[in-house]
């Protein structure tokens, strides 16, 4: 049957049931879900869908590798709070998405990934480019669908969006066979709506829990709020701030929580965990109450569990019941959306004097809180901390910074002070090298008016550098800072500390990144000393298009403090004396 003429009639599609091909239904449903941008790469099994794309008001960004599509959709979702969409063909296209899907899964990012598959009659026959992608992605998706009938396309996609967004967000994959794309069915957008989202039966905040939590807060002498990624995901920034200010409770942040509570706020202690501030980890060990808000007590955060915050009672406010008592046993669990729970809790919280505890923490900062990085003598060496610190200063802390994974990621967390939610985009749970460049492209599509910086290592940048072409094709303005230390630095650091300096397979030969950029038509500059830094950053910001800065930094610097894996939170390796860099510094 010939495809009906559906050109540019998408709004009518959404209100009037119309016969459409499965391919058209894909895009019409996406339009209905509010999607304007998708990231993908075509191939045979998804070609019917690509053929129908021109009829719909959706911008398709052609990536250079499907991993890039998933990370772009992820960066788009993290920057905007909306669902990100990635598209790929069957077989290798679909498997190339997997790292990006797992990255989103570990950090609770809402994605819908759409893959084509072989015609339904060929499923299970090892047909050309057939892969059981729903099987492959089962453990790394919140849910997935195999759709082999045209009439199921719209209901599956609508359900996928609901699952991706609701409760604890996450990635959903919808695999659609080629014949389901090619067939025709009545598209009835309203009738395809999933049943209303029903929260998990455990998602009920008991009055007694709220009363008990308020009582613990009232009685505590040394409380700390642990603010995680859930603060941003639930939009609870105001509520957390009100709780902190009203009861004078200091706030420690996870890596993914950074920006959820302003860095400049007097109650902000900084980041906790493996590379967190020493005084934060000490304070957690001394606290008598932890109020965990949308964070999941990751092992990077707790260190050795049997030694974690033993003096503290714990309140856990968390949307996913599976997280309660998973790593850390808690005294009160308030299971629900953080913002809603805090709105119920706040009327029970009255003003409290927290000054004694705050002063104790202040005093414990001692010498490690020296704040004079800008006054350090210029030894001729460029430290990554200098780069990040100056970037923060020059951008006024207002950029969206998208990092890769490694030492530079930790220095970014320590030296770029995030005031706003969604201003740090980083792969925390999976720690996926290669994330930064594509995720920054997604973030730029989500927030075209924002200044976007990539901070990547020389290793991770090479994993997805092909996406430089995507930047050029899409005419994007992104600033790229490569922290080039000639090593897989974070692994080298572990070798230095725990493997007797056996630098096996961590020294890294890289291309001349400036020439690599130039080959793509992107200008760039190498920076070797701190004196060149500010002018180079300003140059990058002032040119209309993308600009790459290759920062040739000190090769064997390490991130301090560091809690060795499996050690207790207070057992930190500190920067050896005599080294000019301080652990935390600002102007
Ligand atoms: C090299 C490296 C080093 C690292 N070092 C550190 C470190 O020193 N310190 C550190 O903190 N991290 C570190 N990390 C990151 C770490 O691995 C975790 O990703 C991070 O700690 C998780 O933070 P989170 O629990 O806030 O976020 P997530 O893992 O995203 O968890 C968020 C939690 O909030 C819940 N939630 C979501 N939405 C809501 C809602 N609406 N209402 C209520 N709850 C909600 C979710 O169910 C989930 O349990 C490091 C990562 C790497 C790669
Ligand atoms: C895909 C992937 N492979 C391996 C690792 C393990 N790993 C973590 S950090 C790191 C080194 C990163 O080197 P680079 O990108 O140069 O950043 P640096 O640590 O030097 O700042 C490696 C190999 C990882 N996180 N992701
Ligand atoms: Mg490196």
């Amino acid at each position: 049957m010939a495809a009906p003429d559906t050109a540019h009639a998408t709004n009518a599609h959404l209100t009037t049931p119309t016969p459409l091909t499965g391919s058209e239904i894909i895009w019409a449903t996406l339009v209905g879900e509010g999607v304007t941008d998708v990231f993908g790469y075509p191939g045979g099994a998804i070609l019917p869908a690509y053929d129908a794309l021109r009829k719909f008001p959706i911008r398709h960004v052609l990536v250079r590798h499907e991993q890039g599509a998933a990370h772009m959709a992820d960066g788009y979702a993290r920057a905007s709070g909306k669902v990100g969409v990635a598209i790929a063909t069957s077989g290798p296209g679909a498997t190339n998405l997997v790292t990006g899907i797992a990255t989103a899964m570990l950090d609770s990012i809402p994605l819908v990934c759409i893959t084509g598959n072989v015609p339904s009659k060929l499923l299970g026959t090892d047909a050309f480019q057939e892969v059981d992608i729903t099987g492959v992605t089962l453990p790394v998706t919140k849910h997935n669908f195999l759709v082999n009938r045209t009439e199921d396309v719209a209901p599956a996609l609508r359900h996928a969006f609901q699952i991706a967004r609701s409760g604890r967000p996450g990635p959903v994959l919808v695999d659609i066979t080629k014949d389901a794309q090619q067939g025709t069915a009545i598209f009835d957008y309203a009738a395809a709506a999933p049943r209303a989202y029903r929260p998990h039966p455990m998602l009920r905040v008991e009055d007694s829990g709220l009363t008990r939590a308020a009582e613990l807060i009232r009685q505590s002498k040394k409380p700390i709020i642990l603010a995680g990624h859930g603060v941003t995901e639930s939009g609870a920034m105001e509520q957390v701030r009100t709780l902190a200010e009203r009861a004078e409770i200091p706030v420690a942040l996870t890596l993914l929580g950074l920006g959820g509570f302003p860095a400049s706020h007097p109650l902000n202690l900084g980041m906790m965990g493996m590379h967190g501030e020493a005084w934060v980890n000490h304070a957690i060990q001394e606290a008598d109450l932890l109020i965990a808000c949308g964070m999941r007590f990751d092992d990077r955060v707790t260190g050795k569990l049997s030694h974690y915050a033993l003096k503290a009672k714990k309140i856990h406010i968390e949307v996913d019941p599976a997280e309660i008592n998973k790593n850390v046993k808690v005294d009160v669990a308030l299971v629900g959306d953080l913002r809603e729970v805090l709105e119920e809790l706040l009327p029970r919280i009255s003003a409290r004097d927290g000054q004694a505890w705050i002063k104790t923490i202040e005093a414990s900062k001692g010498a490690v809180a020296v704040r004079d990085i800008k006054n350090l003598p210029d030894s001729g060496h460029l430290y990554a901390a200098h780069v990040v610190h100056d970037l923060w200063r020059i951008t006024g802390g207002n950029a969206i910074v998208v990092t890769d994974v490694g030492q530079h990621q930790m220095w970014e967390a320590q030296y770029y002070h995030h005031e706003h939610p969604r201003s740090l985009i980083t792969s925390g749970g999976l720690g996926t090298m290669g994330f930064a460049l594509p995720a920054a492209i997604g973030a730029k599509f989500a927030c075209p008016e924002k200044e976007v910086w990539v901070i990547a290592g020389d290793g991770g940048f090479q994993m997805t550098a092909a996406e430089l072409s995507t930047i050029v094709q899409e005419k994007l303005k992104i600033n790229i800072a490569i922290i080039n230390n000639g090593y897989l630095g974070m692994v080298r650091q572990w070798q230095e500390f725990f493997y007797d300096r056996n630098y096996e397979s961590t020294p890294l030969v890289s291309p001349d990144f400036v020439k690599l950029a130039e080959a793509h038509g992107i200008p760039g500059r190498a920076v070797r000393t701190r004196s060149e830094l500010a002018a180079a950053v300003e140059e990058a910001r002032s040119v209309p298009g993308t600009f790459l800065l290759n920062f040739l930094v000190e090769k064997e610097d390490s991130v301090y403090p560091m809690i060795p894996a499996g050690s207790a939170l207070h057992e930190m390796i500190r920067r050896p004396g005599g080294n000019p860099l301080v652990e935390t510094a600002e102007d």
Side-chain angles (χ1 to χ4, degrees):
M1 176 177 170
D5 181 11
T6 54
H8 306 295
T10 50
N11 283 338
H13 291 153
L14 296 175
T15 48
T16 316
T18 322
L20 294 184
T21 65
S23 299
E24 291 164 334
I25 291 173
I26 292 174
W27 302 115
T29 309
L30 263 52
V31 171
E33 296 296 325
V35 175
T36 51
D37 304 273
V38 301
F39 306 91
Y41 206 88
I46 193 76
L47 213 39
Y50 273 81
D51 190 48
L53 177 57
R54 69 197 148 85
K55 302 174 190 170
F56 296 86
I58 287 182
R59 174 166 46 185
H60 177 274
V61 176
L62 177 66
V63 305
R64 295 300 179 273
H65 185 293
E66 291 85 352
Q67 181 183 349
H71 291 329
M72 285 179 211
D74 178 320
Y76 183 93
R78 291 186 204 233
S80 66
K82 297 194 233 162
V83 178
V85 179
I87 318 273
T89 192
S90 64
T95 54
N96 275 351
L97 287 176
V98 172
T99 298
I101 295 174
T103 304
M105 182 71 179
L106 269 281
D107 290 348
S108 301
I109 303 301
L111 294 192
V112 169
C113 297
I114 301 171
T115 48
N117 211 334
V118 300
S120 50
K121 270 198 230 143
L122 298 182
L123 284 174
T125 67
D126 293 336
F128 177 63
Q129 293 193 328
E130 185 198 358
V131 124
D132 172 11
I133 197 65
T134 47
V136 169
T137 57
L138 190 66
V140 292
T141 47
K142 189 173 169 190
H143 194 72
N144 65 30
F145 297 85
L146 171 58
V147 179
N148 56 11
R149 300 188 325 163
T150 308
E151 55 268 40
D152 295 337
V153 172
L157 278 170
R158 291 208 66 182
H159 200 181
F161 275 86
Q162 184 193 56
I163 293 169
R165 297 188 179 107
S166 58
R168 179 179 186 165
V172 181
L173 180 127
V174 185
D175 191 30
I176 308 176
T177 59
K178 195 166 184 179
D179 52 323
Q181 296 169 51
Q182 288 166 322
T184 300
I186 300 294
F187 175 59
D188 186 340
Y189 183 74
R195 274 187 301 176
Y197 167 64
R198 278 174 310 148
H200 191 280
M202 263 184 75
L203 286 177
R204 216 163 6 97
V205 178
E206 305 285 351
D207 230 39
S208 56
L210 292 166
T211 307
R212 174 107 175 95
E215 187 58 19
L216 285 178
I217 292 172
R218 198 182 60 75
Q219 286 168 353
S220 68
K221 301 255 178 304
K222 300 176 176 179
I224 301 184
I225 293 172
L226 306 180
H229 192 196
V231 175
T232 305
E233 292 209 306
S234 77
M237 287 75 69
E238 269 315 304
Q239 289 72 12
V240 170
R241 193 175 169 147
T242 306
L243 174 65
E245 289 175 354
R246 189 178 299 168
E248 272 196 336
I249 304 176
V251 180
L253 297 125
T254 66
L255 175 69
L256 296 186
L258 294 176
F261 190 78
S264 62
H265 194 289
L267 288 169
N268 189 323
L269 294 179
M271 188 170 81
M272 65 183 96
M274 180 176 269
H275 292 295
E277 313 290 1
W279 63 83
V280 180
N281 291 334
H282 281 305
I284 289 171
Q285 294 298 67
E286 283 307 308
D288 65 2
L289 178 66
L290 299 180
I291 309 161
C293 295
M295 56 82 72
R296 62 181 173 87
F297 293 107
D298 182 84
D299 56 72
R300 260 43 188 167
V301 158
T302 60
K304 193 175 186 173
L305 276 172
S306 58
H307 289 60
Y308 180 67
L310 298 178
K311 300 174 189 166
K313 295 252 190 273
K314 285 129 196 147
I315 301 170
H316 198 179
I317 312 178
E318 164 62 55
V319 79
D320 183 354
E323 289 296 340
I324 304 294
N325 294 325
K326 187 180 89 177
N327 297 332
V328 171
K329 299 276 172 280
V330 298
D331 300 275
V332 179
L334 300 175
V335 185
D337 174 69
L338 179 64
R339 183 152 52 94
E340 290 171 16
V341 173
L342 285 178
E343 268 165 7
E344 287 195 59
L345 181 64
L346 280 171
R348 299 164 198 247
I349 305 293
S350 42
R352 213 189 124 265
D353 180 359
Q355 281 307 311
W357 172 226
I358 290 166
K359 288 201 178 104
T360 309
I361 299 175
E362 273 302 317
S364 78
K365 291 183 182 177
V368 297
V370 179
R371 295 176 187 277
D372 64 351
I373 195 167
K374 93 173 172 193
N375 298 322
L376 291 172
D378 189 344
S379 59
H381 294 265
L382 184 62
Y383 286 89
H386 287 148
V387 177
V388 177
H389 171 78
D390 287 359
L391 259 179
W392 164 70
R393 209 169 31 82
I394 294 167
T395 58
N398 288 319
I400 294 181
V401 183
V402 188
T403 81
D404 219 78
V405 169
Q407 290 184 312
H408 63 280
Q409 178 189 28
M410 294 297 106
W411 282 314
E412 197 284 342
Q414 294 178 342
Y415 292 95
Y416 198 102
H417 306 294
H418 290 274
E419 289 293 310
H420 309 291
R422 306 192 184 284
S423 66
L424 168 60
I425 294 179
T426 194
S427 165
L430 199 67
T432 307
M433 285 172 70
F435 174 79
L437 187 66
I441 295 174
K444 189 67 186 176
F445 274 102
C447 303
E449 75 295 349
K450 284 277 177 74
E451 178 174 353
V452 175
W453 277 88
V454 167
I455 299 185
D458 42 340
F461 187 77
Q462 291 185 65
M463 285 199 170
T464 51
E467 302 303 343
L468 285 172
S469 294
T470 309
I471 289 182
V472 174
Q473 186 160 354
E474 297 295 334
K475 302 185 178 56
L476 298 178
K477 163 70 179 163
I478 292 174
N479 300 309
I480 301 169
I482 298 180
I483 306 296
N484 188 346
N485 54 10
Y487 279 103
L488 298 173
M490 185 55 94
V491 180
R492 185 210 59 75
Q493 174 169 343
W494 283 54
Q495 290 170 329
E496 177 186 336
F497 291 0
F498 314 118
Y499 292 87
D500 216 11
R501 290 181 188 259
N502 176 17
Y503 293 168
E504 173 59 49
S505 302
T506 44
L508 186 69
V509 172
S510 294
D512 179 332
F513 288 115
V514 174
K515 285 197 178 139
L516 181 73
E518 276 165 8
H520 289 81
I522 293 174
R525 176 176 303 287
V527 180
R528 292 180 176 79
T529 61
R530 193 165 189 202
S531 55
E532 306 163 73
L533 209 166
V537 169
E538 290 297 7
E539 183 182 5
R541 298 178 83 209
S542 63
V543 304
T546 289
F547 198 92
L548 182 145
L549 292 169
N550 183 19
F551 290 102
L552 295 146
V553 298
E554 185 72 10
K555 285 181 183 301
E556 293 193 31
D557 195 11
S558 291
V559 182
Y560 296 98
M562 177 180 189
I563 303 164
S567 295
L569 210 53
H570 53 276
E571 294 169 354
M572 280 167 277
I573 302 175
R574 311 301 296 271
R575 184 174 283 280
N579 192 314
L581 265 190
V582 290
E583 285 164 359
T584 296
E586 59 185 37
D587 282 349

